[in-house]
Amino acid sequence: KQWYQRRVRGEYSLLSGRNAVIIYTYFGLLDIHSTGALNDVQFYVFLKKATDLNRTEIYRVFDMLDVDGSSSIEYNEFYLMVCILVSIHDHEEKKFIYHHSRTVFDLMDKDGSATIDVEEFEIFGLLFNLGLKAIRDIFNDFDVSGDQQLDYGEFKLFAMACIDRENSHKQKSVSSYSSEKLENIEESVSERSTNASLCSIL
């Protein structure tokens, strides 16, 4: 799984130009029929190796990514999926959702209704590693209108909450690290003072 060594970087959580070329080369290796696209079997084999999704879940992801209804995954769709998988691997999925909220929303909106229901939202959970209960809790929290549908505005609130929670988590981590470092310094100073006192007595 060397492709997992790629990194999403920059403000918009996308692959660098060099890594995009590497992923394009990898896509070409998967495209054994040289059609410029992956069929459902090729896609299944790839995701089966790269993730722990089961057969049903993989085909649901396939249907979601097949935005043009061609029954195949072209490079741009494959590239988007790889960016999602790498962002999850790097624990940057919240940042990805925030920067690409419109794209993620449109992917889930399979019926083109400009809203997503719980079932469509569940596909989001498959990709971003959320359990069913977490998915339903999130959905209910951000269904402001209470119509059992999320429009883009409500989903955008969710995306903003994701990045807020991520920043809060990072701040807590930094604060925790700083406190721990301060405690170590204080212990060191205290230990040196004690040693100095002992030397003075001796």
Side-chain angles (χ1 to χ4, degrees):
K1 299 179 182 178
Q2 293 182 351
W3 66 272
Y4 260 141
Q5 296 172 8
R6 308 302 113 206
R7 291 291 182 269
V8 289
R9 59 181 61 196
E11 182 182 354
Y12 295 102
S13 304
L14 296 173
L15 297 172
S16 67
R18 179 175 178 274
N19 285 337
V21 171
I22 293 172
I23 295 302
Y24 183 77
T25 302
Y26 188 78
F27 178 82
L29 294 174
L30 290 172
D31 179 22
I32 58 175
H33 303 301
S34 300
T35 61
L38 305 181
N39 61 33
D40 58 341
V41 175
Q42 293 165 315
F43 183 82
Y44 171 79
V45 170
F46 169 72
L47 269 198
K48 189 66 177 176
K49 292 290 185 180
T51 72
D52 58 357
L53 298 178
N54 62 39
R55 184 182 185 87
T56 300
E57 291 169 340
I58 290 174
Y59 277 101
R60 289 183 69 186
V61 172
F62 178 88
D63 289 339
M64 182 186 74
L65 290 171
D66 181 21
V67 293
D68 58 2
S70 63
S71 297
S72 61
I73 301 297
E74 286 81 25
Y75 174 69
N76 59 333
E77 296 162 336
F78 181 79
Y79 171 82
L80 175 62
M81 181 194 64
V82 169
C83 285
I84 291 172
L85 292 177
V86 173
S87 71
I88 293 169
H89 181 265
D90 291 347
H91 307 292
E92 295 284 348
E93 62 268 29
K94 294 181 180 70
K95 185 185 295 184
F96 185 92
I97 294 167
Y98 176 72
H99 288 306
H100 303 283
S101 57
R102 181 83 247 184
T103 300
V104 174
F105 180 85
D106 289 342
L107 281 175
M108 289 187 288
D109 182 21
K110 292 302 294 179
D111 58 6
S113 64
T115 60
I116 52 179
D117 56 27
V118 176
E119 186 175 340
E120 289 172 323
F121 197 66
E122 284 175 2
I123 301 175
F124 168 86
L126 294 180
L127 275 179
F128 289 96
N129 224 9
L130 294 172
L132 185 60
K133 184 180 185 303
I135 293 169
R136 294 186 179 277
D137 287 345
I138 292 169
F139 187 90
N140 291 329
D141 286 344
F142 290 92
D143 180 19
V144 179
S145 61
D147 59 0
Q148 295 302 300
Q149 302 277 337
L150 292 184
D151 58 28
Y152 177 66
E154 291 169 328
F155 184 78
K156 182 67 174 177
L157 288 175
F158 162 69
M160 292 171 68
C162 278
I163 200 68
D164 286 345
R165 290 171 186 173
E166 178 71 7
N167 290 338
S168 175
H169 175 72
K170 287 181 179 178
Q171 287 174 357
K172 287 180 180 178
S173 296
V174 170
S175 176
S176 176
Y177 171 77
S178 298
S179 297
E180 184 178 343
K181 192 172 183 180
L182 182 60
E183 286 176 4
N184 289 337
I185 292 173
E186 289 174 345
E187 287 177 4
S188 178
V189 170
S190 176
E191 185 177 341
R192 287 178 183 177
S193 297
T194 301
N195 291 337
S197 297
L198 287 173
C199 289
S200 173
I201 293 171
L202 293 173

